[in-house]
Amino acid sequence: MDLFYVIRSIGDRAGAVVVKRARFGVLLDDDAPPAGQVNLARNSASADCPGLRPTYSGKVSIQAYEDYHDHGLETSSALSQTSITGSARDELKAFHTSYKTAAGCRETDSKSGANGFYIARNNRSQFSFDTKVVDIGMPEPAFDIATRWASKVASLVVSPVGASEGARLRERSVELLPYQTQNGFACVAFSLDGRLPKQMLRVNDLEGQWVQGISREVRLGPGSKGRLRQP
């Protein structure tokens, strides 16, 4: 299924769209990625920001993904897990990128607001599969842990979705699609190869939350009756 996310803005701007896919239900033999992992993909990066990063495709454990995006951790046992290509944190850093804004370049995994100071509802939180983290942001204690005691207490952090919706999510994948509007318009194309009606799709315009001041996550899944809805 080919889908499109349309951005309309007053004046031109750059940004990035986050496409989160998953499936509700029991484990299946042909799950991709296998249980406990998240697929990551990025098709491009901004040429207007330093440190141009190549396209990316890889995967990390769900725990590493949640440590980084739900709790804002920089160090944990899951993030330190290594493979042939490096640690899970290295993979996540390679996945994320930067994009040009009126105030300069902004990282897609930034935990700061437009003024440069920490804000709970930040870019990184928008990658979470927990709708509470997306809508409200990271808990303040998690940020304190991330900056001071992450390596000592990360094992005590419990995922906010571990006992609810997140426990039923299978085949998680996240795609990062940078964009640049022209004449105030951009159309971001992506596909959905799902197992409806058990498919979950969520789309976020990262920069939209700063220029519009509202949540930009569009959600499709159980309870939406097959229709896109925007909170």
Side-chain angles (χ1 to χ4, degrees), residues 99-191:
Y99 57 89
K100 187 75 171 178
T101 72
C105 289
R106 191 193 304 278
E107 297 289 325
T108 56
D109 59 347
S110 171
K111 292 184 286 188
S112 301
N115 59 5
F117 292 99
Y118 170 76
I119 183 171
R121 190 174 177 277
N122 49 52
N123 270 5
R124 192 183 299 194
S125 69
Q126 300 306 289
F127 286 79
S128 175
F129 280 88
D130 183 347
T131 56
K132 291 182 180 179
V133 175
V134 171
D135 293 341
I136 300 173
M138 298 173 177
E140 191 74 28
F143 182 73
D144 292 338
I145 290 171
T147 55
R148 289 182 285 179
W149 308 295
S151 60
K152 296 181 180 179
V153 302
S155 61
L156 302 178
V157 177
V158 178
S159 168
V161 291
S164 57
E165 172 185 285
R168 298 181 288 120
L169 291 181
R170 314 296 185 198
E171 298 185 275
R172 301 190 198 194
S173 69
V174 183
E175 188 174 8
L176 184 54
L177 303 168
Y179 67 82
Q180 171 67 57
T181 64
Q182 294 184 354
N183 298 320
F185 175 84
C187 185
V188 180
F190 59 95
S191 63

Side-chain angles (χ1 to χ4, degrees), residues 4 17 47-48 67 71 74 83 90 101 113 115 130 132 157 169 173 191-193 196 198-199 204 225 227:
F4 302 87
V17 167
D48 297 319
D67 284 353
H71 308 298
E74 300 294 338
S83 63
D90 291 338
T101 72
N115 59 5
D130 183 347
K132 291 182 180 179
V157 177
L169 291 181
S173 69
S191 63
L192 180 65
D193 183 13
L196 296 173
K198 298 296 186 180
Q199 184 72 27
N204 297 72
K225 298 181 179 179
R227 299 176 59 187

Side-chain angles (χ1 to χ4, degrees), residues 1 22-25 168 192 194-201 220-227:
M1 184 187 303
R23 177 181 62 79
F24 289 87
R168 298 181 288 120
L192 180 65
R195 308 188 193 195
L196 296 173
K198 298 296 186 180
Q199 184 72 27
M200 183 214 78
L201 171 69
L220 174 64
S224 64
K225 298 181 179 179
R227 299 176 59 187

Side-chain angles (χ1 to χ4, degrees), residues 8-21:
R8 293 188 177 93
S9 64
I10 300 174
D12 284 329
R13 63 178 172 87
V17 167
V18 183
V19 179
K20 293 175 279 188
R21 307 173 182 88

